[in-house]
Amino acid sequence: MFNIASLNSQYNSEINDIIQHKTKPPGALGLLENCAAQLASIYSQKQQKLVTKISIIKPSMLVFAGDHGIAQHPISIAPSAVTRQMVLNFMAGGAAVNCFCRTNEIAFKVIDAGIIEPLSIDETRHCDAFIEQRLGAGTADFSTQAAMTESQVEQGLKLGSQIAQQTIDEGCNLLMLGEMGIGNTSAAAAILVALTGQSVDECVGQGTGIDRQQLALKKSLIQTGIDRLHCSSTPLSTQQIIAEFAGFEIVQMVGAICAAAQAGIPVLVDGFIVTSAVLLACKLHPQVRDYLIFAHQSNEKAHLLMLSILSAEPLLHLGLRLGEGTGAALALPLLKSAASFYNDMASFDSAGVTV
């Protein structure tokens, strides 16, 4: 479905020279230097010439929402109805991610990928930020059956790809993703177990802040879902893992990530749920990894494990565990700062500084 080119090293030497000749000791700007180098390399490859000025244009946040059958069990502090309520909150501009997007001038859209109860025409009539591309009224309970059909996986990848490409066609050259879905930390943890073979204990955390009894139930249900598949001697394909455990919002994020990489556009990655989609996208197309910048390390237990698997060094560690794309929105000023020093900081020669 996707044709993704690896990021080549054609311009790396020249980009490194630009960075190392700035008026600073080598490496003194830490991860900002890595960010500048990666952005310059991505944009140089896309433009097929050395980029000496990094331009971040119309950075955009896509928040995908979907409900999860696993949430019919008491594994969250909130019922599934909250997913829909939060979609309305996003549309009204009242969520944390809305605040951060306004502050940092990030274009915003919220996508109904498959919440239980669709929004009415009256609820959506005056909101240009809302997009409906539903795969169903929430997924099935993966502790007893596959979360979705393989046909829904294919459709979800396509829909996520289309909205990402539409956003890029509107002028965006930096994509951020967020999510909303009661129960989606369970889905992300199950995906991590299925992809890596790590234990449920290592992969499952407290999500929104559940108590010990709820955490024990959450682990038990995820283990039951994993055990359903142990009778098969054939390893699951990545698309089968998506079908078994993912949410409708997660599969669409996988499509969006792959589409951005295919278009040569960097993706600023949020927390635990978005990173589960990243793992799946990288499993489908390893070249995707070249286009990813990791915003933060969340407080969800297994996010550090995910980052380690991806050899990712996140920009921030603020103790976040909200999702919604909040960490990515908060990290954007760091990318802009990386672009600023790359573009405007004097070189030793231009400043007449001798070392």
Side-chain angles (χ1 to χ4, degrees):
M1 177 181 285
F2 299 99
N3 181 19
I4 301 170
S6 297
L7 193 58
N8 64 44
S9 58
Q10 179 178 355
Y11 304 100
N12 286 7
S13 178
E14 291 167 286
I15 290 167
N16 186 63
D17 281 345
I18 290 172
I19 292 171
Q20 296 310 319
H21 283 86
K22 299 296 185 181
T23 47
K24 60 173 183 59
L29 288 177
L31 291 181
L32 290 186
E33 297 191 21
N34 298 347
C35 285
Q38 188 176 0
L39 289 170
S41 182
I42 291 170
Y43 294 143
S44 293
Q45 180 161 307
K46 185 169 179 60
Q47 297 179 32
Q48 298 184 344
K49 64 178 182 179
L50 174 66
V51 166
T52 57
K53 295 286 185 182
I54 296 170
S55 296
I56 297 175
I57 303 168
K58 199 176 180 181
S60 298
M61 176 73 69
L62 302 179
V63 176
F64 294 83
D67 276 308
H68 295 256
I70 195 74
Q72 67 186 271
H73 304 280
I75 56 166
S76 176
I77 64 169
S80 291
V82 169
T83 304
R84 187 182 194 276
Q85 292 164 7
M86 282 301 298
V87 169
L88 291 169
N89 192 24
F90 294 138
M91 292 165 60
V97 69
N98 297 109
C99 298
F100 301 155
C101 284
R102 283 193 296 271
T103 297
N104 295 309
E105 299 180 319
I106 300 167
F108 178 86
K109 295 176 184 175
V110 57
I111 298 100
D112 176 5
I115 62 177
I116 291 172
E117 181 186 351
L119 273 59
S120 69
I121 293 174
D122 286 342
E123 288 172 314
T124 62
R125 180 175 289 135
H126 301 296
C127 184
D128 294 335
F130 176 76
I131 295 165
E132 183 177 281
Q133 43 190 50
R134 294 167 56 79
L135 295 171
T139 58
D141 177 358
F142 70 69
S143 69
T144 60
Q145 65 184 96
M148 68 187 81
T149 66
E150 293 198 33
S151 175
Q152 286 172 315
V153 173
E154 292 288 345
Q155 185 184 7
L157 293 172
K158 182 177 180 180
L159 289 171
S161 170
Q162 287 174 346
I163 187 59
Q165 187 59 57
Q166 177 186 321
T167 304
I168 292 165
D169 291 343
E170 291 169 354
C172 164
N173 75 349
L174 178 71
L175 191 66
M176 289 165 276
L177 305 177
E179 40 62 41
M180 178 63 213
I182 299 300
N184 63 10
T185 59
S186 295
I191 289 166
L192 181 58
V193 173
L195 283 174
T196 66
Q198 297 282 344
S199 72
V200 167
D201 278 342
E202 290 175 286
C203 296
V204 180
Q206 291 182 290
T208 49
I210 55 178
D211 61 29
R212 290 182 181 179
Q213 186 176 355
Q214 289 173 302
L215 179 60
L217 176 60
K218 181 178 178 179
K219 289 181 178 180
S220 175
L221 290 167
I222 292 171
Q223 188 65 62
T224 300
I226 294 293
D227 289 344
R228 280 194 300 106
L229 308 172
H230 280 174
C231 59
S232 173
S233 59
T234 306
L236 294 178
S237 69
T238 305
Q239 290 197 203
Q240 286 173 324
I241 290 172
I242 296 172
E244 292 293 340
F245 300 113
F248 291 147
E249 81 280 34
I250 292 173
V251 65
Q252 292 198 31
M253 287 195 294
V254 175
I257 292 162
C258 290
Q262 179 174 264
I265 296 298
V267 179
L268 183 54
V269 179
D270 191 51
F272 185 59
I273 316 302
V274 176
T275 310
S276 75
V278 161
L279 285 171
L280 292 165
C282 290
K283 196 73 172 177
L284 286 171
H285 298 283
Q287 305 94 322
V288 164
R289 178 64 185 84
D290 295 344
Y291 299 89
L292 306 175
I293 300 170
F294 292 84
H296 76 116
Q297 178 189 326
S298 87
N299 256 20
E300 180 62 18
K301 177 179 176 180
H303 192 220
L304 180 59
L305 173 59
M306 288 179 169
L307 294 171
S308 175
I309 291 166
L310 291 160
S311 300
E313 194 166 4
L315 293 169
L316 298 168
H317 188 181
L318 299 174
L320 304 176
R321 54 180 180 86
L322 180 59
E324 301 180 3
T326 48
L330 288 168
L332 178 62
L334 295 178
L335 266 63
K336 289 183 174 181
S337 297
S340 177
F341 98 75
Y342 182 86
N343 296 344
D344 302 324
M345 188 176 179
S347 69
F348 286 110
D349 286 344
S350 68
V353 175
T354 303
V355 178

